[in-house]
Amino acid sequence: MGSESDRTRHAAGGDESAEGEASRGASKGDDGGAPEGDDGGAPEGDDGDAFDDGDGVPTVDPARDDASLAGDEATVLLLMDDGRDRALLAEALGERYRIRTADAPSALDGAFDCCVLDANAFRAAGDAIDARRDRADPAFLPFVLLVSEGPRGQPADSVWERVDDVVELPVGRRALLARVSNLIERRTTSLRLRRTVGELRLKEQAMDEAPVGITLARAADGDDDPLVYLNREFEALTGYGEEMLGEDCRFLQGPDTAEETTAEIRAAIEEERSVDVDVLNYRTNGQKFWNRLQVEPLRDEDGAVTHFVGFQTDITERKIRERRLEVMARVLNHNLRNKMNLIEGYADLLRDDPDEASRQRSLDVITETAADLTGIATAVQTVDETVSASALDASIDFRKELIELRNRIRSRYPDAEVTLSLPGDDPIEVAVVGLTVAVAEAVENAVKHNDAGTPSVEVRVERRPREWIAVEIEDDGPGIPDHETQVLEAGETSLTHADRLGIWLMYWVVAKAGGDFDIDTGEDGTTIRLEVPRHP
């Protein structure tokens, strides 16, 4: 605004010749109009910078925000009577901004980035200013009040509740422009901040609603990379929520998590590179699940790694399905082919064998082998139906199921001794797919493969902490060969494989529920242990 004399002598036009006109224009009704082509309305194509999106929350028009943030000229609304003052203000501010002029409060409904109004317009607008501010909220929308110099022109304290600056006329051109520019800069900053916050919220919403678990960990100098974010799917997948923020994601690992896999993950993080692995993890209740883990480093502008983003997907069903395909392929390629070769060989002997006793032996082998084939087909069907079944809609009374199982085994094998040891008398509610079938398989195998005169099998059930249940099937039979159990973890090969699909059935039922399966076998018998969450 220049010297002190400038501040007291210059009008909005900034020159001495305009001094009197600037101070007298509003009262005399000078016909100095708005810039040519300005009809006092909103800019062409602009419907106003606020609209109601239906939820009662005022929202700034994204198109208007984009224009401001892209560096387009801001719009200043001059709300005052048509006169010389308005013309001079339009000229002064028009060097930098688009100008709208109007003399009615209804102009506040249009689009602008700053409103400059005189005392008459301020009195006429009244509560409309508050309403317009509310519509713009939370974006900053400035209002500037022009007052005449002297005691009579000084505003009351209450005026400051509605305006952001009070400018006393006359005022120098540069001073006015600087004061308005400061307010518009604040608005631009608020719009930019709001847009940034909106984009961040949108991205966070997208991450929260993603169908995979997402975690964000801060890259730290030590061994731990603390979590700073986890989405809803991660919480649904693992049971862990925001209470784990600040912790390293190793809390998902457990006793059966392969050390080779964890070493691979740690090496990738230390070397600041991507890693993609299948890892056995644990939920907050101890339930196991196979996790497809992908970790990517995030770098700043200088290329330094600041965070690691992790993506988690439950692939337990896929891992079981892959192992089932391997086992079924072995059954088809090995068991079925060998037995069919056996049938064909003895059928050839029948054609040329003149000895009746020898022919009868061949027929017995063929009959027995055909029965084995039927048994294999039944076992394959049972495995497929049990393991492929969807989650139970409701819990079953496991106590009742076991009592019915005991009665069936006793009826089918009258010489067998089957006993139950169950906790209390209350129903044992479980929702584990195939649990009864798995226990039935264990009990029946124990009876069938025991050559003792009175095979003995005991089924024990225990309630475990965290809503788990443990089932033990103990028999006094000859024991299960080692190669039958070793393949459960190591996998099958053409030379090493399980002869009994029932063992795989039990293993898959427990694996699908995220539980623990164990077989302890020896000369004195076998104990099979299934420990699963009651409601996986």
Side-chain angles (χ1 to χ4, degrees):
M1 187 166 56
S3 65
E4 184 65 29
S5 59
D6 287 337
R7 288 194 292 269
T8 58
R9 293 169 56 211
H10 279 54
D15 60 331
E16 291 188 30
S17 61
E19 178 182 357
E21 296 297 330
S23 62
R24 296 190 300 269
S27 62
K28 288 188 175 183
D30 193 297
D31 60 357
E36 183 177 353
D38 193 333
D39 59 2
E44 183 178 354
D46 195 332
D47 295 328
D49 68 351
F51 59 90
D52 192 336
D53 59 9
D55 60 2
V57 179
T59 306
V60 173
D61 181 354
R64 186 67 193 91
D65 287 353
D66 291 344
S68 295
L69 296 177
D72 288 1
E73 288 182 295
T75 297
V76 175
L77 170 63
L78 301 180
L79 186 60
M80 60 186 65
D81 292 336
D82 187 6
R84 183 60 176 167
D85 275 356
R86 194 171 79 176
L88 291 175
L89 289 169
E91 180 184 353
L93 297 175
E95 295 177 0
R96 186 173 300 177
Y97 305 111
R98 292 182 298 180
I99 303 299
R100 283 183 51 208
T101 59
D103 55 12
S106 59
L108 295 178
D109 293 333
F112 58 90
D113 295 288
C114 179
C115 177
V116 180
L117 68 168
D118 61 15
N120 292 333
F122 179 77
R123 285 191 293 269
D127 294 339
I129 296 176
D130 297 334
R132 188 63 181 86
R133 283 184 181 277
D134 290 341
R135 286 174 53 199
D137 188 66
F140 173 65
L141 184 61
F143 286 78
V144 178
L145 175 62
L146 302 176
V147 299
S148 301
E149 62 180 341
R152 294 184 60 186
Q154 295 307 306
D157 291 342
S158 60
V159 167
W160 289 100
E161 297 177 2
R162 288 181 171 173
V163 301
D164 303 282
D165 197 2
V166 176
V167 176
E168 183 177 316
L169 294 178
V171 62
R173 180 190 299 260
R174 284 179 296 176
L176 175 66
L177 189 60
R179 292 167 75 167
V180 171
S181 296
N182 287 338
L183 293 172
I184 290 179
E185 182 62 29
R186 284 179 57 190
R187 171 167 170 78
T188 302
T189 300
S190 75
L191 290 173
R192 184 180 294 111
L193 178 61
R194 185 180 182 190
R195 181 180 178 186
T196 300
V197 171
E199 290 176 347
L200 290 175
R201 287 176 177 172
L202 182 62
K203 292 176 181 178
E204 184 174 351
Q205 181 182 3
M207 293 174 67
D208 277 340
E209 297 183 4
V212 298
I214 300 178
T215 55
L216 189 64
R218 178 171 52 83
D221 295 333
D223 294 334
D224 293 340
D225 297 313
L227 289 177
V228 297
Y229 169 81
L230 52 87
N231 73 341
R232 296 170 188 165
E233 184 61 25
F234 178 86
E235 185 170 359
L237 175 64
T238 67
Y240 292 102
E242 293 184 353
E243 73 278 1
M244 304 311 295
L245 295 179
E247 300 292 331
D248 189 277
C249 222
R250 283 196 298 271
F251 58 76
L252 292 178
Q253 300 171 14
D256 291 337
T257 304
E259 294 183 2
E260 297 84 356
T261 304
T262 58
E264 182 180 354
I265 296 171
R266 177 50 52 185
I269 291 177
E270 291 176 352
E271 297 168 13
E272 298 182 344
R273 57 177 172 83
S274 304
V275 63
D276 191 342
V277 296
D278 295 348
V279 56
L280 186 66
N281 281 157
Y282 290 74
R283 296 187 172 94
T284 183
N285 66 347
Q287 185 181 7
K288 298 178 186 176
F289 73 101
W290 277 101
N291 182 11
R292 182 66 171 179
L293 174 64
Q294 298 170 279
V295 179
E296 295 287 342
L298 302 181
R299 303 179 184 274
D300 60 17
E301 296 178 353
D302 298 325
V305 174
T306 61
H307 295 81
F308 292 93
V309 60
F311 303 93
Q312 297 86 12
T313 306
D314 187 347
I315 59 168
T316 304
E317 292 280 359
R318 194 200 77 188
K319 298 291 282 189
I320 293 175
R321 185 168 59 252
E322 289 175 352
R323 185 60 64 87
R324 282 174 55 203
L325 290 175
E326 293 176 3
V327 173
M328 295 309 169
R330 186 268 302 169
V331 170
L332 291 173
N333 294 331
H334 180 77
N335 296 50
L336 294 183
R337 183 171 57 187
N338 287 351
K339 292 187 181 299
M340 288 304 300
N341 289 339
L342 190 63
I343 290 175
E344 290 178 356
Y346 277 93
D348 289 340
L349 291 177
L350 283 175
R351 295 189 182 96
D352 302 321
D353 195 341
D355 183 66
E356 180 65 25
S358 179
R359 288 199 302 271
Q360 186 59 50
R361 285 195 299 272
S362 296
L363 288 173
D364 291 342
V365 172
I366 291 173
T367 300
E368 182 181 349
T369 305
D372 290 342
L373 285 174
T374 301
I376 291 175
T378 301
V380 169
Q381 182 179 7
T382 300
V383 169
D384 185 65
E385 291 177 350
T386 302
V387 181
S388 300
S390 56
L392 298 179
D393 295 331
S395 299
I396 62 171
D397 184 353
F398 192 48
R399 175 189 300 277
K400 181 179 179 180
E401 296 278 336
L402 290 179
I403 292 174
E404 292 178 355
L405 169 62
R406 180 194 61 188
N407 295 339
R408 287 199 308 270
I409 296 297
R410 285 177 174 176
S411 176
R412 190 176 305 171
Y413 304 97
D415 295 332
E417 181 181 338
V418 180
T419 58
L420 299 178
S421 177
L422 306 177
D425 298 322
D426 298 331
I428 305 173
E429 295 185 352
V430 297
V432 180
V433 174
L435 181 59
T436 303
V437 177
V439 174
E441 184 70 27
V443 173
E444 187 162 358
N445 279 340
V447 173
K448 288 194 302 183
H449 297 283
N450 192 338
D451 295 331
T454 306
S456 175
V457 182
E458 182 182 6
V459 179
R460 297 186 292 270
V461 177
E462 298 178 3
R463 299 182 190 272
R464 308 294 296 164
R466 297 189 295 182
E467 287 294 298
W468 280 57
I469 187 172
V471 184
E472 288 186 349
I473 303 97
E474 182 178 3
D475 66 55
D476 59 353
I480 301 175
D482 290 341
H483 72 272
E484 292 276 349
T485 59
Q486 292 172 352
V487 297
L488 297 179
E489 295 297 336
E492 292 197 345
T493 67
S494 58
L495 299 178
T496 304
H497 53 78
D499 294 326
R500 308 174 188 178
L501 281 177
I503 292 180
W504 277 116
L505 170 62
M506 290 180 276
Y507 177 80
W508 286 328
V509 166
V510 173
K512 186 172 182 176
D516 290 307
F517 180 72
D518 182 65
I519 297 179
D520 183 13
T521 185
E523 296 180 357
D524 297 331
T526 299
T527 299
I528 296 177
R529 183 179 180 85
L530 302 83
E531 190 165 355
V532 293
R534 291 170 54 197
H535 302 89

